Structures are given as C-alpha cells and as structure tokens.
Amino acid sequence: MIKFMKNINLVSRSAEQYREERLSPFGIKGCQSHYFLEICRTPGVSQEELSRRLFVNKSNVARQISLLEEGGFVKREAKEGDKRTFLLYPTQKMLDALPEVKRVHGEWRELVTEGFTEEESEQLKYLSEKMVENVRKYMENRQ
C-alpha cells in the first residue's frame, strides 16, 4: 500500500505540472483548473462550500479566488443577509476558458490511462471513487 500511495502522489504532482504547462498561456495556474470546473458547475457556490468540495483549506481557497478575481475569471459577491459569506460566479472570461480547461483534463486522463483496457479503466474509476468517498467521510467527520 505504501508504493500505491507514493504512485498516487506522483501522478497528482505530475498532473498539476501538466495543467500548469498547458494552461499558463491562458493565465491559469495548474491548481486553479479545479476551481474553474467547480465554479462553472455550481455558479453561486460559497467559498466555504468550495473548500469542502475540493478538500482545500479555506485560506487557500480565499487566496486562489483572489487571484482568479484579479485575473478577471471570477466574480465574488457577498451573500444577501450575510456579508461575511461570499458567493462565486464565473465571468465570461472563465466561461470562455472552460473548454480549454476541460480539454487539458481530458488529455491528462488519456495520457495516464494509455494502454488500459476498458475493464481496467472502469475498475480504476470505481476504486478511486470508493477512495474519494472514504476521504469525504473522514473530512466531514473531522470538522
């Protein structure tokens, strides 16, 4: 199992470098691509909810959202009735860049699963989703 976790970490770090290389011409950092996907999937998501969904601490979310806002990718609005809660909305610039972000994610998926049979791909998907569910339970119980 130790080797497995080491491999997961290597794939994850390599994925971020890959996204960084492919998305930097668009002014997007590799780690920000997940923010793009989630904000476009759920416009009006709060920073706190985004933190939970991405398993990223709140201060990192605030920092990345500030950078995305400076880059013109996201609009942050105070929630009506609660000025401490910010809701996040994609700008047109984010929506225009979204297909590129999705393309880069798809290319990476193809690269890392090259040579896999359909059965192996499905099994990997199933097992990784099971792992994420275990992580989600842990993260929810610790808060």
Side-chain angles (χ1 to χ4, degrees):
M1 187 54 110
I2 291 172
K3 182 74 171 174
F4 171 75
M5 293 310 296
K6 179 181 177 184
N7 290 344
I8 291 286
N9 285 325
L10 288 172
V11 170
S12 178
R13 287 194 306 273
S14 299
E16 188 158 336
Q17 288 178 14
Y18 181 88
R19 290 188 304 266
E20 186 85 24
E21 291 168 3
R22 300 301 190 279
L23 295 172
S24 65
F26 302 92
I28 304 167
K29 296 179 183 282
C31 65
Q32 293 172 334
S33 65
H34 296 290
Y35 291 81
F36 268 68
L37 297 171
E38 199 59 43
I39 292 168
C40 289
R41 186 179 299 124
T42 55
V45 65
S46 71
Q47 285 185 208
E48 188 170 332
E49 179 62 23
L50 188 61
S51 171
R52 277 194 295 274
R53 289 180 185 196
L54 297 178
F55 302 118
V56 177
N57 70 47
K58 293 175 189 177
S59 63
N60 283 349
V61 168
R63 190 171 22 262
Q64 290 304 321
I65 294 304
S66 290
L67 291 170
L68 289 170
E69 192 173 34
E70 287 171 20
F73 291 108
V74 71
K75 187 170 72 172
R76 188 176 2 195
E77 294 180 4
K79 183 177 180 180
E80 194 173 313
D82 181 3
K83 301 298 181 195
R84 295 175 299 156
T85 299
F86 290 99
L87 305 179
L88 308 170
Y89 295 93
T91 63
Q92 190 59 50
K93 185 175 180 180
M94 181 180 266
L95 295 171
D96 291 344
L98 183 62
E100 187 64 22
V101 170
K102 287 181 175 182
R103 185 186 66 74
V104 168
H105 275 251
E107 286 176 354
W108 178 253
R109 229 178 358 265
E110 287 178 23
L111 188 146
V112 298
T113 58
E114 184 177 339
F116 282 28
T117 65
E118 180 136 352
E119 182 179 292
E120 289 169 332
S121 292
E122 285 301 313
Q123 187 175 24
L124 179 62
K125 179 183 173 205
Y126 170 76
L127 293 172
S128 64
E129 286 172 351
K130 214 171 166 180
M131 289 173 64
V132 168
E133 188 54 38
N134 290 339
V135 170
R136 189 177 319 281
K137 286 177 192 172
Y138 167 77
M139 296 300 284
E140 287 172 0
N141 289 330
R142 68 181 256 275
Q143 294 177 353

